[in-house]
Amino acid sequence: MSLDKPRELEYSLAINEALHQMMNENRSILLMGQGVKSPWYVGNTCNGLVEKFGEKRVIDTPVSENAMTGMAIGASIAGYPSIVVHPRMDFMLYAFDPIINQAANWFYMSGGKVSVPVVFWGIINRGGEQAAQHSQALHGLFAHIPGLKVVMPSTPYDAKGLMISAVLDPNPVVFIDERLLYSNKGVVPTELYSVPIGKAAVRKKGKDITIISVSYSAFLVEKVTPKLIENGIDAEVIDLRSIKPLDTNTILKSVKKTGRVIIIDVGWKSFGISAEISARIAESGINLKSPIKRLALPDTPAPASRTLEAAYYLNEKKIYESICKIFKKGSS
Amino acid sequence: MKISYKKKELLNLYKQMVLIRRTEESFVEPILNGRIKCPVHLYSGEEAVAVGFSAYLKKEDVFFGNHRSHGHYIVKGGNLEAMVAEIYCKEDGCAGGRGGSMHIIDKSVGMLGAAPIVAGTISLTLGAALGFKYEKKKNVAVAFFGDGGTGEGVLFESINFAALRKLPIIFSCENNYYSTHLPIRETRPNYPVYKIGRAFGIKSFQVDGNDILKTTAVCEKAISTCRKGEGPVFIEFKTYRLRGHVGPSDNIQGTQTDIRPIQEIEKWKKKDPIKRLERYMLKNRICEQKELLNISKKVESQVFAAHQKAQISNFPKGEEVEYYVFR
Ligand SMILES: Cc1ncc(C[n+]2csc(CCOP(=O)(O)OP(=O)(O)O)c2C)c(N)n1
Ligand SMILES: [Mg+2]
């Protein structure tokens, strides 16, 4: 590595580095979940951890999501801040009680005396005709719950920085990463750093429209913006990074400037984060030049068949065309 | 092997096992060339478990399965063509291409559901059994799950309620000694799985799941117990998947997936349930090699035809993606 060429790392390895550095910093931290000692489920995010920190701290668990998640919460309360990974978010649903009834409410219920420094790490893993129970993006569900923070990095830099923030945060944080981003490379500092929870990133300045993206949609939008420029549309691009707390200030500031907004979510449309963001914009009373536009998954379970998947999921073309349509421009 | 079966019965068991094996192995090539894309969990090696139920099963009995349920569906009288087409995620599939291999669901034959959330269908099976009991029907509901599934609390909640209300349900645990990448010694204390049932005071059996005569016998016992209103029953079938967890990879140690010692696989290959029945029938002069070959050939062409049909079937239309959310 030379000084003038910053180090690049894959998204998944950025998470791996965060885990290594945090577990090295604080020997109370525990990691548990299915596949933490194998690339089977979690790609290379957990490489080398069990070798370095041992099976007492890196615990590959039986298929027992409810109890294992509760265990992570209890350990966190008892002084061992824990990270519990669910190799697919869909499996987390077995753990709704410990996450929502227990962890999210604990600090409040104890009158502010006992907080729960736990990380619920859930991986979105979809496509490949995996169908309804192996594809879900449930960030909107968790964001609905008071007492839970929810983060969704789209870049390797944020993946590392947000994992570190999630571990350091004294509250329960739902860290949601995306398998489709795992091999993406980007600049990642070697040292320990954090990305603040609750702060969006403006990826590109622009004057015509605000594009609000998150996780995989931020990755897609990055590819679409050059084409928009060619078509005479100068977009401002926001990557939310945190769903909760939501960085309303950054959103409103941008929308006030551009007067147009499209929200591109990776989850379902109804009652999801695109609805919440729309409401905040509407409540702000900002005058818009065109109605708020939302692009998200249809209110349908994830299908299996590749043709249905193509209709179901977002892609660059759908994003590009929707934005061109707002400006009544052709998109051929 | 005390019970004696007629030749016709034995050949029928043989045929079903061969049908499952040929069907499963027929997916390897289309998976490798990308015509089949959805995750496919092969049942090769475990045939004697599902087929063990076949002799005493009635059409009105019901099955619930998991991610590895092709064999369950075939035994329940499922339509082979509809299943193969579903695995190609085509319109003619039993779920119209919406479910794929992990959701082999076909109410018309009593395959009430299969779903890959581990242990997720056990409590659903309880509901079907509750219905049978309520209507005083002499039917049976069977829940299939793996050794990995014994990690989920819902199994224990379900056994408790089933025992409390004497429901006609068979908890059918296919112990193949692995839960994805973990061998059973890393997921369970070293204690027999079938004793889970004993803790709730229900009839519980452990059986060599690769011996079709034994599985048939234990299933007969379990089914008749339930039909008499003396259920539930827990059965642990000791078996082994000849393939790896998912797809055609064998998960051999030293290869990319790196899980199972090759010696272990070789050991279990010797216990192949199909070969065992073959040997039994030939040794006891129940039938001739030629008859077995004929069965295999017939099955082979049936499977081939199912693939041909599935391959020319259409994919569902993209614009129909929002169908079937509600009735
Ligand atoms: C709730 C849940 N957690 C984790 C998984 C991932 N997973 C799929 S199959 C499997 C192991 C299943 O092992 P077992 O029940 O023994 O069945 P087998 O595959 O051996 O037939 C796991 C952990 C899942 N599908 N659902
Ligand atoms: Mg198993």
Side-chain angles (χ1 to χ4, degrees):
Chain A
M1 201 178 67
S2 71
L3 282 176
D4 46 355
K5 197 161 177 279
R7 196 264 314 245
E8 291 206 341
L9 210 55
E10 288 168 15
Y11 181 95
S12 52
L13 288 175
I15 294 171
N16 182 246
E17 191 165 271
L19 296 171
H20 270 280
Q21 292 180 347
M22 287 312 298
M23 293 189 78
N24 200 41
E25 277 291 293
N26 178 351
R27 59 174 295 280
S28 298
I29 294 172
L30 309 178
L31 171 69
M32 53 198 76
Q34 289 162 42
V36 294
K37 67 167 204 186
S38 132
W40 189 278
Y41 273 125
V42 292
N44 48 18
T45 54
C46 293
N47 275 7
L49 291 169
V50 73
E51 291 81 356
K52 184 152 172 212
F53 301 107
E55 298 207 353
K56 281 191 185 154
R57 292 181 65 193
V58 180
I59 304 161
D60 204 325
T61 70
V63 202
S64 313
E65 289 79 3
N66 183 295
M68 297 301 100
T69 306
M71 179 168 77
I73 295 166
S76 302
I77 291 172
Y80 302 92
S82 294
I83 305 156
V84 55
V85 59
H86 295 277
R88 287 171 197 276
M89 284 206 88
D90 316 69
F91 308 157
M92 277 172 99
L93 298 181
Y94 263 135
F96 251 32
D97 178 69
I99 296 173
I100 296 176
N101 268 328
Q102 316 298 353
N105 290 334
W106 211 257
F107 188 62
Y108 192 85
M109 292 190 307
S110 67
K113 294 200 179 70
V114 185
S115 69
V116 189
V118 67
V119 179
F120 304 115
W121 171 14
I123 306 176
I124 299 172
N125 186 345
R126 55 177 149 185
E129 299 189 334
Q130 298 183 93
Q133 298 181 343
H134 276 51
S135 307
Q136 297 168 102
L138 301 169
H139 49 292
L141 251 168
F142 290 110
H144 185 61
I145 307 301
L148 293 180
K149 298 185 179 181
V150 183
V151 301
M152 291 178 91
S154 77
T155 65
Y157 180 92
D158 287 347
K160 178 174 172 184
L162 281 171
M163 178 56 93
I164 290 170
S165 292
V167 175
L168 290 173
D169 201 290
N171 302 290
V173 179
V174 183
F175 177 97
I176 302 169
D177 56 348
E178 161 69 76
R179 267 313 265 260
L180 293 172
L181 297 171
Y182 269 25
S183 57
N184 286 7
K185 277 189 153 183
V187 173
V188 176
T190 51
E191 68 270 15
L192 213 151
Y193 63 90
S194 57
V195 166
I197 295 177
K199 193 90 196 78
V202 178
R203 297 289 181 209
K204 176 188 167 302
K205 294 259 176 212
K207 59 178 182 3
D208 297 332
I209 184 170
T210 300
I211 304 176
I212 299 175
S213 62
V214 64
S215 184
Y216 190 62
S217 79
F219 168 72
L220 292 174
V221 167
E222 191 189 336
K223 299 189 153 198
V224 170
T225 39
K227 285 205 293 197
L228 290 172
I229 292 171
E230 278 172 34
N231 206 0
I233 301 169
D234 179 17
E236 179 143 310
V237 179
I238 294 175
D239 177 353
L240 289 176
R241 306 197 291 187
S242 292
I243 306 304
K244 194 175 191 172
L246 187 66
D247 187 355
T248 314
N249 281 344
T250 299
I251 294 170
L252 295 184
K253 207 172 119 196
S254 174
V255 174
K256 202 167 187 174
K257 178 172 80 176
T258 62
R260 294 187 188 87
V261 62
I262 180 168
I263 306 155
I264 307 174
D265 188 17
V266 292
W268 293 296
K269 188 166 185 177
S270 293
F271 306 95
I273 66 164
S274 68
E276 177 62 30
I277 295 167
S278 302
R280 293 197 190 190
I281 295 168
E283 280 173 343
S284 77
I286 293 172
N287 277 328
L288 295 173
K289 296 174 194 155
S290 63
I292 295 171
K293 171 80 188 159
R294 292 192 282 158
L295 207 53
L297 299 185
D299 291 327
T300 307
S305 186
R306 56 198 79 176
T307 47
L308 299 173
E309 281 189 330
Y312 184 71
Y313 290 114
L314 297 179
N315 56 32
E316 289 170 49
K317 185 163 175 273
K318 288 182 195 175
I319 293 172
Y320 179 67
E321 287 173 358
S322 303
I323 295 171
C324 290
K325 221 164 138 192
I326 295 172
F327 291 91
K328 303 193 170 59
K329 285 186 189 233
S331 53
S332 52
Chain B
M1 307 202 179
K2 271 180 235 119
I3 309 177
S4 62
Y5 296 96
K6 294 200 187 77
K7 174 176 175 181
K8 208 178 116 192
E9 291 164 348
L10 288 172
L11 287 181
N12 189 30
L13 297 175
Y14 181 76
K15 187 182 149 195
Q16 290 187 74
M17 290 202 291
V18 172
L19 176 59
I20 295 173
R21 177 69 57 87
R22 291 280 173 267
T23 304
E24 294 299 64
E25 294 301 314
S26 73
F27 295 126
V28 170
E29 196 192 310
I31 291 170
L32 292 175
N33 68 27
R35 292 183 94 145
I36 291 176
K37 229 167 98 180
C38 70
V40 176
H41 302 78
L42 299 173
Y43 197 59
S44 298
E46 304 187 13
E47 294 87 351
V49 179
V51 177
F53 282 91
S54 65
Y56 304 97
L57 206 61
K58 292 187 178 155
K59 189 163 184 281
E60 298 73 27
D61 297 331
V62 298
F63 278 5
F64 277 92
N66 58 2
H67 54 287
R68 198 181 301 285
S69 271
H70 303 163
H72 309 144
Y73 178 64
I74 287 175
V75 166
K76 197 65 197 67
N79 177 327
L80 183 73
E81 290 179 351
M83 183 181 89
V84 172
E86 188 56 40
I87 292 163
Y88 278 87
C89 294
K90 296 289 185 81
E91 214 164 45
D92 294 331
C94 51
R98 269 68 179 180
S101 162
M102 301 194 292
H103 298 280
I104 300 299
I105 301 174
D106 187 346
K107 201 174 171 188
S108 70
V109 297
M111 184 73 197
L112 293 198
I117 290 299
V118 168
T121 64
I122 298 174
S123 53
L124 310 192
T125 318
L126 203 58
L130 186 69
F132 289 149
K133 171 105 183 179
Y134 173 54
E135 297 284 357
K136 296 203 174 65
K137 286 186 179 159
K138 293 202 177 317
N139 291 111
V140 180
V142 185
F144 289 98
F145 54 94
D147 48 298
T150 66
E152 300 284 12
V154 66
L155 169 64
F156 300 83
E157 300 176 25
S158 300
I159 300 175
N160 181 58
F161 187 81
L164 193 64
R165 296 297 181 95
K166 294 202 168 2
L167 298 184
I169 177 173
I170 299 173
F171 296 95
S172 173
C173 180
E174 305 180 305
N175 179 7
N176 57 19
Y177 298 92
Y178 282 88
S179 171
T180 56
H181 62 296
L182 292 182
I184 194 165
R185 65 173 182 277
E186 295 188 44
T187 61
R188 291 184 49 78
N190 185 11
Y191 193 72
V193 170
Y194 77 101
K195 290 194 176 168
I196 289 173
R198 294 258 168 101
F200 294 87
I202 68 172
K203 281 195 182 144
S204 306
F205 306 104
Q206 184 184 52
V207 67
D208 177 349
N210 281 26
D211 182 337
I212 186 65
L213 300 180
K214 289 193 179 138
T215 58
T216 302
V218 83
C219 290
E220 195 276 329
K221 234 190 299 184
I223 291 173
S224 64
T225 300
C226 285
R227 293 210 203 287
K228 279 189 287 194
E230 293 166 10
V233 177
F234 189 106
I235 311 174
E236 173 195 0
F237 297 92
K238 297 201 286 180
T239 185
Y240 195 76
R241 47 172 162 68
L242 291 174
R243 295 281 180 178
H245 173 68
V246 62
S249 157
D250 288 340
N251 296 163
I252 300 171
Q253 245 175 32
T255 66
Q256 193 202 353
T257 35
D258 205 4
I259 295 167
R260 309 188 301 174
I262 187 131
Q263 299 84 345
E264 181 185 282
I265 301 174
E266 291 306 323
K267 188 188 98 191
W268 278 95
K269 272 188 182 159
K270 294 198 185 104
K271 297 197 218 173
D272 183 327
I274 296 176
K275 293 210 183 105
R276 267 166 98 175
L277 181 59
E278 257 172 33
R279 283 200 295 270
Y280 172 81
M281 288 193 291
L282 294 174
K283 196 174 129 215
N284 293 289
R285 297 180 196 287
I286 294 166
C287 68
E288 287 175 35
Q289 185 83 48
K290 219 172 64 194
E291 288 172 90
L292 300 179
L293 278 176
N294 271 341
I295 289 177
S296 291
K297 262 193 211 147
K298 266 196 204 141
V299 162
E300 199 91 40
S301 56
Q302 191 189 351
V303 172
F304 183 74
H307 276 271
Q308 281 195 313
K309 201 161 168 211
Q311 291 187 357
I312 57 170
S313 166
N314 291 319
F315 281 111
K317 292 182 198 59
E319 60 268 28
E320 295 175 0
V321 68
E322 294 185 54
Y323 284 21
Y324 313 129
V325 178
F326 293 110
R327 180 158 214 142

